[in-house]
Amino acid sequence: MEIRDDMEKKGRIVKVAGPLVVAENMTGSKMFDVVYVSEKRLMGEIIELKGDLASIQVYEETGGIGVGEPVYLTRKPLTVELGPGIIESIYDGIQRPLNIIYEKVGDFITRGVHLPALDREKKWEFEPLVQKGDIVAPGDYLGFVQETTLIKHYIMVPPGISGKVKDIRKGNFTVEEVVAVIETQHGDTEISMIQRWPVRTPRPYVEKLAPNTSLFTGQRVIDMFFPIAKGGTACVPGPFGSGKTVIQHQLAKWADAEVIVYIGCGERGNEMTDVLLEFPELVDPKSGEPLMKRTILIANTSNMPVAAREASVYTGVTIGEYFRDMGYSVAIMADSTSRWAEAMREISGRLEEMPGEEGYPAYLGARIASFYERAGLVKCLSGKNLSGQNDRIGALSIIGAVSPPGGDLSDPVVQATLRVVKVFWSLEDQLAYRRHFPAISWLNSYSLYIENISEYVKKNVATDYFDLQTEAMRILEEEAELEEIVRLVGIDALSSQDRLTLLAARMIREDFLHQNAFHEVDTYSSVEKQYKMINTIIYFYNKARDYLQLGADIKAIENMKVRDRIARMKYVPQSELNRIDDIKKEIDTEMSSLIEE
Amino acid sequence: MLKEYRGVSNITGPLMLIEGVEGAKYEELVEIILPDGSKRKGRVLEVERDKALVQVFEGTTGVDIDKTRVRFLGRGIEMYLSPDILGKVFTGLGTPRTENDKIIPEKRLDINGAPINPYARDYPTEFIQTGISAIDGLNTLVRGQKLPIFSGSGLPHNRIAAQIARQSTVLGEKEAFAVVFVAIGITFEEAEYFISDFRKTGAIERAVLILNLADDPAIERIATPRVGLTCAEYLAFEKDMHVLVILTDMTNYCEALKEVSAARKEVPGRRGYPGYLYTDLATIYERAGRIKGKKGSITLIPVLTMPEDDKTHPIPDLTGYITEGQIILSRSLYKKKVSPPIDVLPSLSRLKDKGIGKGKTREDHADLFNQLYAAYARGKEVQELSAILGEAALTEMDKLYSRFAEEFEARYVSQGEYENRSIENTLDLGWKLLSMFPREELKRVRDEYLDKYWTKFRREREEIEEEKGKVVAGGEYVMEREGV
């Protein structure tokens, strides 16, 4: 938000309680208008109106603010700036650029700093895609800027404007300079590369479609067992130490989306630093470019003002929608939505609203649902047939971490989230204690997208992909039952067949599901590799079952040498995947030697 | 000239409401002058029109409505600072405890500080050797980390904290180092233990002590950790020192916060603690860290006693969500005479991955860690199983794991209070224990390290066992002779 000198000075503060300020003489202002509080010009947003009193949630610390100080009105809702320069940025919850704040004011965030989100000086090379005289409608491409090596930043006709292109300019421009003039019914409109959009309003699209392609993440337990679709929603609840953040980081690194928005909402400062330092070093497996070239970070860490934390998820999702509208597949990681909910609870408490469950406001469920509903696979806003441009499809996927107290899934935030999301990755501390990472429970988690994406996977990966998954799941479920029996009567009481099931389950768990995020090869597993790995394990299981019937000894099978090679499949680099195919032959030879003996 | 007010209209618990006030600011420091002339300090919690709600740090005993006067000081609570604070003792509000502790201030800073810009942070990667195997080997501490100790009443958390303060070094470096010790509502005896330990080792010269003891005003505790961290920020980011901050016991801090919240009649979150406990704790813990281009660092070790040893209690739970891992102490290990009783399985250091490995500790550290951890976890599982089914149900391999878990607790986790193990020793000790397994069992270690380390320690073990074997065989021989 820009700060201007001609802002209307109107209100007068009558109450200050933490991040909540109440001002009088505020008639005429609207809900969710942005205001500036006191001469320090702290940014805030109106969240309640009573007569001429307005309650304002202030995005900065309110220490030292007192009764009688002025409130300045902008009469505009909280908006974000969208345009070239946004990729690779790190913003706080209200889109202030943290890197520039660091350069301007130093190591600590001081109050009343107002800086534009996008660089006003930098020139971008604008390449037009339309010609004079073309008819354009909202969402149509006017041209593009090659923002980073990975992202072509399309400049689109803003919503609400359509007409004939009167002028279009090629060359180097700043974000505020005019690149096109459109002749509309209400006169000529000048278009620059910057757009502003209110964060609490979803950006428009033509229609939503049912998700039908996979968002591959390179994480075996996710892609194979509980996949998420492009345009889908997922949540990762778990107690502390179960690896929520590592999973979010892994997805931000390896998910095959084109743009990543990572929202650090009320979490640790060092985690954001980690991303900032690591992402420029990591290379996208598809393009070979640094991952940072497709990433935007929103960092409102736990010690930063709580009201800005409330805004941070909206800021992130709006930026995501903007890139979705260009036809990209965007993935948003929100870590953690519990901190967002807590920020709502704190503000609600200060407003003295009647609390719902655990002190959370009664509208918690509605807010969570409407946030996740901004995800989706959409037909982008684009004037079809008018200008001859093709219909674009964009996708926005949202993956939210939830941090329930004590890992208790009956927590209101978890429950409200589960009601709306389609994928549930349940993290268990018992698995984390055993250092089984990712600690996603294979018994409790689910994905409702398997139906949607099965066509796509069959066509692009393998026809029996989900058959193998079903078989592997059956083995794991059987293991859970057998373990009960083992606990009661010991392993010797089991039949050879059952012992083989236990062995296969152990192989699936240790040699397939277990994945080391810090190992240079294992951190990312392509979907072909995943398929080959599970295929080999199931092949081993089926062969062993046949040989058991032919009279092989289960103990001999348990001690087969080839098991070591199977265990090391995960460390086979992408370029040598045929080494995994060879294992089958080895299984055959070693199995047949079991019988001869 | 500051105005004095008489309009105290309401006193409840630690709070007082003053009416007819002009221009009071939120978070402003307030001086309260009692009828007998004594002074107390308070802080504005809320201002509304001509009313100000003030929280009195020293409690409201003796405050009356008619005669008590109040003065608003126009600033927040500030700490007076200079390099001379080293070796001095301050109260929980940051005032000198005795005449000797007075300093000539070079500057004063608001104790609330300001949030570090996440972009300005530097990622903590420097390994700190604490000399405690269970920490160095498995829950490695790095400079700029915040790693709490989750303890219970009656467990030796203070001794571990003191041992860390005494032994911590960064390998191969001699740099300015300081300790800020913050006592929050602990007993005189506990505080004295630390002070005498610092005195014995000479650490007192480079320590700042902030003491709010059990009989000091409870509400003051809300300011105490912030006073300590303000000292730490000054020493670390302005005087280039590496500062270790010990906050003990954070549970008392949270109780004070709860008391104020209850007096304000706020809607409580879980178990009566205020809904903003997470945010409030974060403003304390997140002050630890490193800053780009600055030499100094703040490493934070908060100690907290979990009520009923319950890890899901809001205090440890919210702390664990903010800090970068946790060291959990276990009562059952303590009863088994394992000391320090660090419960390795649920303990965690989130920053260890960047602080270990080649050039920092040793190349094999990460793999060794994973293997030790996995083997110990399996050993504990087997022990549980054998408690239900009896030892007969165990396979040979299970028995080996069970033995490993026992030895691991007795030799690796257990160590003397003054035993300072180098990281080399700690790592070798891990290999010594792992060498009891056949090579195929050690799946989490890369082949190259197995070749290099396992082979060596396995040979040693076999030699020792051979020796033992001879002795045993010899013994039997003697017995046979005697029998004859």
Tab-separated table of all heavy atoms in Angstrom, chain A residues 378-411:
chain	number	residue	atom	x	y	z
A	378	VAL	N	-8.879	-23.987	-12.951
A	378	VAL	CA	-9.862	-23.071	-13.521
A	378	VAL	C	-9.582	-22.799	-14.987
A	378	VAL	O	-8.460	-22.900	-15.462
A	378	VAL	CB	-9.896	-21.709	-12.782
A	378	VAL	CG1	-10.177	-21.885	-11.312
A	378	VAL	CG2	-8.625	-20.932	-13.007
A	379	LYS	N	-10.654	-22.444	-15.660
A	379	LYS	CA	-10.537	-21.886	-16.995
A	379	LYS	C	-10.327	-20.400	-16.767
A	379	LYS	O	-11.170	-19.728	-16.166
A	379	LYS	CB	-11.840	-22.153	-17.757
A	379	LYS	CG	-11.663	-22.115	-19.243
A	379	LYS	CD	-12.980	-22.409	-19.908
A	379	LYS	CE	-13.122	-23.866	-20.347
A	379	LYS	NZ	-14.401	-24.091	-21.050
A	380	CYS	N	-9.172	-19.893	-17.169
A	380	CYS	CA	-8.806	-18.532	-16.816
A	380	CYS	C	-9.671	-17.523	-17.541
A	380	CYS	O	-10.174	-17.780	-18.635
A	380	CYS	CB	-7.356	-18.252	-17.159
A	380	CYS	SG	-6.240	-19.376	-16.368
A	381	LEU	N	-9.759	-16.371	-16.909
A	381	LEU	CA	-10.475	-15.256	-17.490
A	381	LEU	C	-9.738	-14.832	-18.753
A	381	LEU	O	-8.610	-14.400	-18.701
A	381	LEU	CB	-10.439	-14.118	-16.475
A	381	LEU	CG	-11.461	-13.026	-16.600
A	381	LEU	CD1	-12.853	-13.605	-16.411
A	381	LEU	CD2	-11.191	-11.975	-15.559
A	382	SER	N	-10.331	-15.002	-19.869
A	382	SER	CA	-9.674	-14.600	-21.103
A	382	SER	C	-10.756	-14.476	-22.138
A	382	SER	O	-11.634	-15.310	-22.237
A	382	SER	CB	-8.657	-15.661	-21.517
A	382	SER	OG	-8.071	-15.301	-22.728
A	383	GLY	N	-10.720	-13.412	-22.901
A	383	GLY	CA	-11.796	-13.153	-23.849
A	383	GLY	C	-11.788	-14.142	-24.995
A	383	GLY	O	-11.255	-13.870	-26.054
A	384	LYS	N	-12.348	-15.299	-24.767
A	384	LYS	CA	-12.308	-16.327	-25.798
A	384	LYS	C	-13.041	-15.844	-27.053
A	384	LYS	O	-14.011	-15.102	-26.970
A	384	LYS	CB	-12.917	-17.616	-25.279
A	384	LYS	CG	-14.241	-17.388	-24.609
A	384	LYS	CD	-14.709	-18.600	-23.874
A	384	LYS	CE	-15.887	-18.141	-23.019
A	384	LYS	NZ	-16.385	-19.074	-22.116
A	385	ASN	N	-12.559	-16.287	-28.172
A	385	ASN	CA	-13.122	-15.975	-29.490
A	385	ASN	C	-13.019	-14.508	-29.893
A	385	ASN	O	-13.060	-14.176	-31.043
A	385	ASN	CB	-14.589	-16.402	-29.594
A	385	ASN	CG	-14.733	-17.860	-29.230
A	385	ASN	OD1	-13.804	-18.635	-29.441
A	385	ASN	ND2	-15.855	-18.226	-28.675
A	386	LEU	N	-12.937	-13.625	-28.926
A	386	LEU	CA	-12.869	-12.217	-29.287
A	386	LEU	C	-11.543	-11.905	-29.955
A	386	LEU	O	-11.500	-11.297	-31.002
A	386	LEU	CB	-13.010	-11.351	-28.029
A	386	LEU	CG	-14.438	-10.990	-27.628
A	386	LEU	CD1	-14.439	-10.199	-26.347
A	386	LEU	CD2	-15.107	-10.209	-28.746
A	387	SER	N	-10.455	-12.339	-29.341
A	387	SER	CA	-9.148	-11.977	-29.856
A	387	SER	C	-8.436	-13.160	-30.469
A	387	SER	O	-7.292	-13.047	-30.858
A	387	SER	CB	-8.298	-11.418	-28.723
A	387	SER	OG	-8.158	-12.414	-27.738
A	388	GLY	N	-9.100	-14.288	-30.466
A	388	GLY	CA	-8.491	-15.447	-31.071
A	388	GLY	C	-7.503	-16.165	-30.162
A	388	GLY	O	-6.859	-17.110	-30.581
A	389	GLN	N	-7.355	-15.709	-28.928
A	389	GLN	CA	-6.447	-16.421	-28.027
A	389	GLN	C	-7.130	-17.676	-27.502
A	389	GLN	O	-8.329	-17.714	-27.320
A	389	GLN	CB	-6.046	-15.529	-26.854
A	389	GLN	CG	-5.096	-14.429	-27.281
A	389	GLN	CD	-4.727	-13.534	-26.117
A	389	GLN	OE1	-5.033	-13.833	-24.978
A	389	GLN	NE2	-4.064	-12.450	-26.418
A	390	ASN	N	-6.295	-18.679	-27.249
A	390	ASN	CA	-6.875	-19.927	-26.767
A	390	ASN	C	-7.296	-19.823	-25.310
A	390	ASN	O	-6.797	-19.004	-24.577
A	390	ASN	CB	-5.855	-21.048	-26.890
A	390	ASN	CG	-5.643	-21.423	-28.324
A	390	ASN	OD1	-6.548	-21.291	-29.144
A	390	ASN	ND2	-4.441	-21.845	-28.624
A	391	ASP	N	-8.198	-20.697	-24.927
A	391	ASP	CA	-8.588	-20.748	-23.526
A	391	ASP	C	-7.426	-21.287	-22.719
A	391	ASP	O	-6.792	-22.255	-23.102
A	391	ASP	CB	-9.795	-21.675	-23.347
A	391	ASP	CG	-11.033	-21.038	-23.911
A	391	ASP	OD1	-10.978	-19.846	-24.252
A	391	ASP	OD2	-12.050	-21.750	-24.013
A	392	ARG	N	-7.178	-20.632	-21.620
A	392	ARG	CA	-6.091	-21.082	-20.761
A	392	ARG	C	-6.653	-21.814	-19.555
A	392	ARG	O	-7.715	-21.484	-19.055
A	392	ARG	CB	-5.319	-19.884	-20.189
A	392	ARG	CG	-4.605	-19.039	-21.143
A	392	ARG	CD	-3.606	-18.181	-20.391
A	392	ARG	NE	-4.217	-17.158	-19.560
A	392	ARG	CZ	-4.580	-15.967	-20.018
A	392	ARG	NH1	-4.434	-15.679	-21.286
A	392	ARG	NH2	-5.085	-15.070	-19.210
A	393	ILE	N	-5.871	-22.766	-19.089
A	393	ILE	CA	-6.215	-23.459	-17.857
A	393	ILE	C	-5.123	-23.141	-16.844
A	393	ILE	O	-3.935	-23.257	-17.135
A	393	ILE	CB	-6.267	-24.985	-18.073
A	393	ILE	CG1	-7.251	-25.347	-19.192
A	393	ILE	CG2	-6.609	-25.714	-16.787
A	393	ILE	CD1	-8.693	-25.213	-18.843
A	394	GLY	N	-5.520	-22.732	-15.668
A	394	GLY	CA	-4.551	-22.483	-14.599
A	394	GLY	C	-4.923	-23.307	-13.380
A	394	GLY	O	-6.088	-23.695	-13.225
A	395	ALA	N	-3.944	-23.603	-12.560
A	395	ALA	CA	-4.240	-24.401	-11.373
A	395	ALA	C	-3.608	-23.758	-10.153
A	395	ALA	O	-2.502	-23.234	-10.217
A	395	ALA	CB	-3.711	-25.821	-11.536
A	396	LEU	N	-4.347	-23.795	-9.068
A	396	LEU	CA	-3.813	-23.311	-7.799
A	396	LEU	C	-4.041	-24.407	-6.769
A	396	LEU	O	-5.172	-24.774	-6.482
A	396	LEU	CB	-4.542	-22.025	-7.385
A	396	LEU	CG	-4.136	-21.390	-6.068
A	396	LEU	CD1	-2.711	-20.880	-6.142
A	396	LEU	CD2	-5.062	-20.237	-5.724
A	397	SER	N	-2.961	-24.976	-6.260
A	397	SER	CA	-3.076	-26.016	-5.242
A	397	SER	C	-2.671	-25.414	-3.899
A	397	SER	O	-1.746	-24.616	-3.839
A	397	SER	CB	-2.144	-27.183	-5.541
A	397	SER	OG	-2.131	-27.454	-6.920
A	398	ILE	N	-3.374	-25.793	-2.857
A	398	ILE	CA	-3.029	-25.274	-1.522
A	398	ILE	C	-2.699	-26.434	-0.605
A	398	ILE	O	-3.464	-27.393	-0.489
A	398	ILE	CB	-4.180	-24.446	-0.912
A	398	ILE	CG1	-4.490	-23.232	-1.779
A	398	ILE	CG2	-3.813	-23.991	0.498
A	398	ILE	CD1	-5.583	-22.342	-1.231
A	399	ILE	N	-1.552	-26.354	0.040
A	399	ILE	CA	-1.149	-27.362	1.007
A	399	ILE	C	-0.923	-26.660	2.329
A	399	ILE	O	-0.017	-25.834	2.454
A	399	ILE	CB	0.122	-28.084	0.531
A	399	ILE	CG1	-0.191	-28.837	-0.772
A	399	ILE	CG2	0.619	-29.046	1.592
A	399	ILE	CD1	0.911	-28.808	-1.763
A	400	GLY	N	-1.765	-26.934	3.279
A	400	GLY	CA	-1.677	-26.233	4.563
A	400	GLY	C	-1.167	-27.153	5.649
A	400	GLY	O	-1.624	-28.288	5.784
A	401	ALA	N	-0.210	-26.671	6.431
A	401	ALA	CA	0.205	-27.409	7.621
A	401	ALA	C	-0.692	-26.977	8.773
A	401	ALA	O	-1.140	-25.840	8.822
A	401	ALA	CB	1.661	-27.105	7.950
A	402	VAL	N	-0.994	-27.906	9.658
A	402	VAL	CA	-1.781	-27.582	10.841
A	402	VAL	C	-0.989	-28.066	12.051
A	402	VAL	O	-0.421	-29.155	12.023
A	402	VAL	CB	-3.172	-28.259	10.816
A	402	VAL	CG1	-4.062	-27.666	11.877
A	402	VAL	CG2	-3.831	-28.129	9.460
A	403	SER	N	-0.920	-27.267	13.076
A	403	SER	CA	-0.148	-27.626	14.270
A	403	SER	C	-1.069	-27.736	15.474
A	403	SER	O	-1.169	-26.809	16.258
A	403	SER	CB	0.906	-26.564	14.552
A	403	SER	OG	1.443	-26.061	13.366
A	404	PRO	N	-1.778	-28.866	15.613
A	404	PRO	CA	-2.723	-28.966	16.717
A	404	PRO	C	-1.988	-29.119	18.047
A	404	PRO	O	-0.938	-29.748	18.094
A	404	PRO	CB	-3.515	-30.232	16.383
A	404	PRO	CG	-2.605	-31.032	15.519
A	404	PRO	CD	-1.728	-30.066	14.789
A	405	PRO	N	-2.535	-28.542	19.114
A	405	PRO	CA	-1.884	-28.681	20.416
A	405	PRO	C	-1.759	-30.148	20.804
A	405	PRO	O	-2.738	-30.900	20.726
A	405	PRO	CB	-2.799	-27.919	21.376
A	405	PRO	CG	-3.991	-27.533	20.610
A	405	PRO	CD	-3.745	-27.739	19.168
A	406	GLY	N	-0.567	-30.554	21.160
A	406	GLY	CA	-0.341	-31.926	21.586
A	406	GLY	C	-0.592	-32.942	20.489
A	406	GLY	O	-0.718	-34.127	20.759
A	407	GLY	N	-0.690	-32.490	19.238
A	407	GLY	CA	-0.929	-33.418	18.142
A	407	GLY	C	-2.339	-33.980	18.145
A	407	GLY	O	-2.623	-34.977	17.480
A	408	ASP	N	-3.227	-33.325	18.874
A	408	ASP	CA	-4.573	-33.847	19.057
A	408	ASP	C	-5.453	-33.466	17.868
A	408	ASP	O	-5.741	-32.292	17.633
A	408	ASP	CB	-5.125	-33.246	20.351
A	408	ASP	CG	-6.558	-33.637	20.601
A	408	ASP	OD1	-7.076	-34.499	19.865
A	408	ASP	OD2	-7.162	-33.074	21.528
A	409	LEU	N	-5.900	-34.483	17.124
A	409	LEU	CA	-6.632	-34.206	15.889
A	409	LEU	C	-8.060	-33.711	16.121
A	409	LEU	O	-8.740	-33.320	15.189
A	409	LEU	CB	-6.648	-35.439	14.987
A	409	LEU	CG	-5.277	-35.874	14.437
A	409	LEU	CD1	-5.432	-37.058	13.514
A	409	LEU	CD2	-4.565	-34.748	13.719
A	410	SER	N	-8.503	-33.706	17.370
A	410	SER	CA	-9.851	-33.187	17.616
A	410	SER	C	-9.824	-31.660	17.724
A	410	SER	O	-10.854	-31.032	17.943
A	410	SER	CB	-10.435	-33.803	18.882
A	410	SER	OG	-9.701	-33.357	19.995
A	411	ASP	N	-8.654	-31.078	17.575
A	411	ASP	CA	-8.498	-29.624	17.602
A	411	ASP	C	-9.431	-28.965	16.575
A	411	ASP	O	-9.580	-29.465	15.460
A	411	ASP	CB	-7.025	-29.337	17.279
A	411	ASP	CG	-6.749	-27.886	16.977
A	411	ASP	OD1	-6.934	-27.080	17.885
A	411	ASP	OD2	-6.364	-27.579	15.831
